[in-house]
Amino acid sequence: MSRVEVSKQAELFGKRRALVLVEDRIGHYPEFRDFFGRTFDFGRRGLAEPGYVSAPSGLTYALVFIGRSGEPFPDGVEIHALIPELEPLDDELVDRDLWAILCWMIEGVGGDWKVADLLATGRLLRIPAASA
Amino acid sequence: MLARLPDLPETIRSMWPYRPNFARVNGWRMHYVDEGAGDPLVLLHGNPTWGFLYRDFVKPLTAAGRRVIIPDMIGFGLSEKPTREDAHSLDGHIANLTALLRQLDLRRITLVCHDWGGPTGLGFALTNRERMHALVLMSTWAWPLPPAEFHTRMFPWRMMHAPLLGPYLLGRHNALAARGIYLSVVDREKFRERAQAAYTAVLPDPATRLLTWTWPRWIPLDDHARAFARFRWIEHELRSCALPTLMVWGREDDVFDPDTFCRKFTTLLPHAEGPHWVTGRHFLQEDSGPEIAALIVEFLQRHARDEP
């Protein structure tokens, strides 16, 4: 449903990273940190490279994980869109992609976290991507 | 990263004609309104509002011979808005308030507490008892567990502030100010027409909205929560608090449901008056501001008569 896939590599030539979403506390609910650890194999790859995902628009996003002394890794994450280096963001397109990435995340976290609840929350809050 | 009064829509400024004041508190720049003269009433808002929530209180309270002080919590309203989550903690916000009220050297304070204004204000009141006169409690809480049933729900509460979802829903889309307050008033059309813009205008960019998803993360849901010990202390100290207390609650409050929360406050503060019921959901000031202000005036006049 979310049409988001992990990419092993990203084409970086001619691209810039545009910061589109920041989370300072990914372990607020520890299952979210666990999900990213499983998905991007931190134990083996560590901080060597970002995690990359491709989104429904075809854009690739880099997930840059942040550590903080005294806290389990990762403590935060930045999501960057990889876009042509001199071009502005298409904000609506990015917003739809982010929604898809969040749905993919909730699907992956699993347990009590249900995509149906996220969709219902998005509709209640009138999030455009949730109604698309 | 400050919102400024001139940035507010003219219709909103006409409802908020009060002179802005700023103080350096605990390392941050805090905005507050200071009107009238007499024993002070300090009106405390919560998430995601600001002093504007109390716009219908200022005239009746000052007319009754009170000084009215309305701070904007750091992170909201016209106060400074830190951009890192670690800038916010319950203890830090109590210290912010403490700094302001000590700078103003206020005595005989009546604290009016709503939402996060409750734990924040009570944290001040219980450590500065010699400055206190009375409490007014509205749709708030003061203990670690149990939380409100609303706060345990996955839909919509935990989804709204979960990792990455908080920054997206409440940050990019300003959903708490743009939609959450609307859903938590009774007369939604009146609110949309007259007041909603005041709450969204002061949170113009995602980075200014950080506290809207950070505060929900500070509500204890279990005994590992960051604020668990502070809330346990507040609950313990409140049991020995003899301050005259008035409870005002919205009949339709579905966030801090009256059956659970008024009963608990009555257990902790058996001398408390009320609850007085008014029309209102969580943001009861929007539906019943003048009525609540009148209840406060009457409550304080009654206690003034009883004083030796």
Side-chain angles (χ1 to χ4, degrees):
Chain A
M1 181 189 72
S2 50
R3 293 176 291 147
V4 172
E5 292 183 356
V6 174
S7 305
K8 290 201 170 161
Q9 288 185 319
E11 177 53 64
L12 302 176
F13 181 76
K15 301 282 178 62
R16 68 181 172 95
R17 292 201 317 202
L19 183 62
V20 293
L21 199 64
V22 179
E23 170 57 63
D24 261 351
R25 191 175 161 82
I26 203 160
H28 178 72
Y29 293 117
E31 53 269 39
F32 286 71
R33 178 192 284 127
D34 296 344
F35 162 71
F36 286 111
R38 284 196 309 273
T39 303
F40 294 105
D41 197 7
F42 293 143
R44 188 178 60 81
R45 290 164 52 172
L47 286 170
E49 56 192 0
Y52 293 108
V53 295
S54 62
S57 71
L59 280 185
T60 297
Y61 291 79
L63 277 60
V64 176
F65 294 96
I66 311 294
R68 181 176 284 116
S69 301
E71 298 290 339
F73 179 82
D75 198 38
V77 60
E78 298 171 347
I79 300 182
H80 300 255
L82 299 182
I83 57 174
E85 52 196 358
L86 297 180
E87 291 298 316
L89 274 178
D90 179 338
D91 207 35
E92 290 181 11
L93 178 147
V94 166
D95 201 72
R96 290 193 297 273
D97 278 351
L98 285 175
W99 181 251
I101 290 169
L102 297 175
C103 290
W104 164 79
M105 175 182 74
I106 290 297
E107 207 168 17
V109 172
D112 291 339
W113 297 90
K114 312 281 189 205
V115 173
D117 284 333
L118 176 58
L119 294 173
T121 303
R123 286 192 294 267
L124 178 73
L125 299 179
R126 302 273 172 91
I127 304 301
S131 309
Chain B
M1 199 169 298
L2 295 170
R4 301 178 315 135
L5 267 182
D7 298 334
L8 299 179
E10 182 53 41
T11 52
I12 299 301
R13 287 171 60 194
S14 68
M15 286 188 278
W16 191 249
Y18 308 112
R19 187 173 73 86
N21 300 277
F22 291 92
R24 194 81 189 161
V25 299
N26 195 33
W28 306 105
R29 189 168 188 254
M30 178 179 272
H31 168 262
Y32 65 100
V33 157
D34 188 347
E35 298 284 324
D39 282 349
L41 275 144
V42 179
L43 313 184
L44 300 175
H45 70 86
N47 186 14
T49 57
W50 60 290
F52 184 81
L53 183 67
Y54 290 108
R55 63 195 177 280
D56 292 335
F57 289 56
V58 179
K59 282 182 185 165
L61 295 179
T62 53
R66 302 284 167 173
R67 180 178 175 187
V68 173
I69 292 157
I70 313 178
D72 289 345
M73 194 174 277
I74 296 298
F76 283 134
L78 304 178
S79 288
E80 184 172 353
K81 299 186 178 76
T83 56
R84 299 303 300 268
E85 186 157 337
D86 281 356
H88 294 292
S89 67
L90 175 54
D91 284 1
H93 279 276
I94 294 170
N96 296 340
L97 179 66
T98 299
L100 177 71
L101 302 189
R102 285 187 186 160
Q103 276 180 46
L104 298 176
D105 195 21
L106 300 185
R107 307 275 167 176
R108 292 181 55 79
I109 299 168
T110 296
L111 276 184
V112 178
C113 303
H114 176 250
D115 190 72
W116 274 101
T120 307
L122 292 171
F124 167 82
L126 296 168
T127 47
N128 295 269
R129 295 188 191 216
E130 75 285 359
R131 292 180 184 270
M132 289 298 303
H133 175 63
L135 293 170
V136 179
L137 303 172
M138 302 186 290
S139 198
T140 188
W141 85 119
W143 48 87
L145 297 173
E149 190 272 336
F150 175 83
H151 292 140
T152 65
R153 288 186 215 153
M154 198 60 82
F155 165 75
W157 184 250
R158 293 174 73 191
M159 278 289 175
M160 280 202 298
H161 68 262
L164 286 169
L165 299 176
Y168 176 83
L169 296 168
L170 308 191
R172 278 181 74 88
H173 289 281
N174 203 13
L176 207 54
R179 184 79 175 147
I181 307 176
Y182 170 86
L183 293 170
S184 291
V185 300
V186 172
D187 190 340
R188 291 172 174 165
E189 283 315 302
K190 186 181 90 173
F191 172 75
R192 190 203 303 272
E193 286 171 16
R194 298 186 190 175
Q196 179 140 34
Y199 297 109
T200 54
V202 294
L203 300 170
D205 307 303
T208 66
R209 302 166 190 156
L210 172 67
L211 192 50
T212 69
W213 71 86
T214 298
W215 262 148
R217 295 177 178 182
W218 277 87
I219 297 173
L221 296 179
D222 58 41
D223 57 8
H224 299 296
R226 287 176 285 180
F228 184 87
R230 179 58 58 219
F231 273 99
R232 190 169 53 184
W233 173 85
I234 291 173
E235 179 180 10
H236 178 265
E237 293 297 306
L238 211 50
R239 290 180 189 278
S240 63
C241 175
L243 292 169
T245 301
L246 172 70
M247 278 193 290
V248 184
W249 231 265
R251 291 183 199 91
E252 296 86 354
D253 192 336
D254 45 9
V255 174
F256 293 98
D257 67 278
D259 284 347
T260 305
F261 286 81
C262 294
R263 187 178 300 129
K264 176 83 175 186
F265 270 120
T266 301
T267 305
L268 295 173
L269 300 163
H271 61 282
E273 294 182 23
H276 290 273
W277 303 105
V278 298
T279 298
R281 286 195 167 90
H282 178 51
F283 298 100
L284 61 167
Q285 299 95 325
E286 285 295 334
D287 288 296
S288 297
E291 187 180 348
I292 299 168
L295 285 169
I296 294 171
V297 169
E298 185 187 322
F299 164 72
L300 292 174
Q301 285 174 342
R302 202 164 52 246
H303 278 278
R305 281 198 299 271
D306 294 343
E307 280 183 330

